[in-house]
Amino acid sequence: MSVALGATLAESRDRGRKLLVAYLMAGSTPSWLETLDCLVAAGADAVEVGLPFSDPIIDGPTIQAAATASLAAGTTFDSVVSALTGRSPGVPLVAMTYANVLLRRGYEHAAAGLVEAGCTGAIVPDLSLEELDDWQEAATAVGIETVLLAAPSTPPERLDALCERSQGFLYAVGRMATTGEASSLDPQGLELVRALRSRTGLPICLGIGVSTPEHAAAACEVADGAVVGSAIVRRMLEGASPEELGAFVGTLRAALDA
């Protein structure tokens, strides 16, 4: 059974829970489905499921490597849908992919496939506001909420527009860089969250560069949640077991609950 994205996260936030969104790349390891289950069991409030693409422009070396491994293993949009269908992990699933992956199938067909997979959210980082209408109309019609990204460089007027159009939650980009681990949080990301706070009632989650339990806790001093991706994916590529990955996510959860 699918779990609604925005309503679920907002309810948890309103109860005082700090949100943890975990990311993995579908098909990047043979045990990725077991890893997904372990991330949920460890306390992730939602899971971003990356659908591999050959030119992932927002992703840094770690997630690029995961996408390459996934494609080499024969992963496709349809194979991910098939693998996820009927699993019911118990938290919202958010598909993270690129516009060409969706366009190749047609937006309506792609949105229907994500619903079949149990996804209730989507992140399409290369789809600008000016090009959003067709995808968002097709997605909203079947219950997929499209999460938009705001960056530290985004002008105030565009922040207003992003907040108006985003669904599920608002993804605050923590630094002006591609995805990847960092030694410390960029203050620009924290300032962005503060700028967004008065603009939206959606949960605001800070990601890109959030790499450790300490980072997650610091992010959630101003944000409603943290998105952790590359730190999980690197461990996956290095051969960590699903249980070890769950243990890492457990340290993130503990830091947010402290």
Side-chain angles (χ1 to χ4, degrees):
M1 180 177 178
S2 301
V3 179
L5 178 61
T8 300
L9 295 187
E11 180 182 1
S12 294
R13 175 201 61 188
D14 294 345
R15 288 191 283 105
R17 180 178 172 90
K18 291 298 185 178
L19 305 172
L20 177 58
V21 181
Y23 172 99
L24 56 72
M25 174 63 70
S28 58
T29 67
S31 57
W32 73 273
L33 288 167
E34 291 79 7
T35 295
L36 189 158
D37 293 338
C38 286
L39 302 186
V40 173
D45 295 286
V47 177
E48 274 188 64
V49 179
L51 303 179
F53 180 56
S54 58
D55 188 23
I57 59 172
I58 199 173
D59 291 316
T62 299
I63 294 180
Q64 286 184 29
T68 298
S70 181
L71 291 169
T75 304
T76 65
F77 181 97
D78 292 337
S79 72
V80 174
V81 169
S82 178
L84 289 173
T85 297
R87 288 190 68 85
S88 302
V91 302
L93 296 182
V94 183
M96 193 287 193
T97 192
Y98 291 86
N100 277 354
V101 175
L102 305 173
L103 278 168
R104 182 178 178 186
R105 284 149 190 84
Y107 284 155
E108 291 184 1
H109 179 72
L114 295 183
V115 170
E116 184 179 345
C119 295
T120 53
I123 298 173
V124 193
D126 60 341
L127 200 56
S128 69
L129 277 172
E130 291 76 16
E131 300 170 317
L132 182 62
D133 288 353
D134 290 345
W135 161 253
Q136 193 167 46
E137 180 179 344
T140 302
V142 294
I144 299 286
E145 296 181 286
T146 302
V147 177
L148 301 184
L149 288 78
S153 61
T154 305
E157 311 78 38
R158 197 166 182 85
L159 287 180
D160 293 337
L162 288 167
C163 288
E164 183 178 347
R165 296 292 300 275
S166 191
Q167 300 166 316
F169 67 92
L170 194 69
Y171 194 131
V173 174
R175 57 181 183 159
M176 293 301 296
T178 56
T179 63
E181 295 178 81
S183 59
S184 61
L185 291 183
D186 190 325
Q188 287 188 97
L190 302 177
E191 286 303 313
L192 171 63
V193 174
R194 295 185 180 99
L196 293 169
R197 183 64 66 192
S198 63
R199 289 178 158 90
T200 183
L202 290 173
I204 303 168
C205 296
L206 181 69
I208 301 186
V210 181
S211 309
T212 67
E214 294 75 19
H215 290 175
C220 286
E221 289 180 7
V222 293
D224 299 308
V227 183
V228 180
S230 294
I232 294 171
V233 172
R234 173 178 59 79
R235 288 169 169 83
M236 291 179 70
L237 295 177
E238 290 174 348
S241 69
E243 293 77 16
E244 289 169 330
L245 292 158
F248 171 64
V249 169
T251 67
L252 300 171
R253 180 75 265 163
L256 296 188
D257 291 344

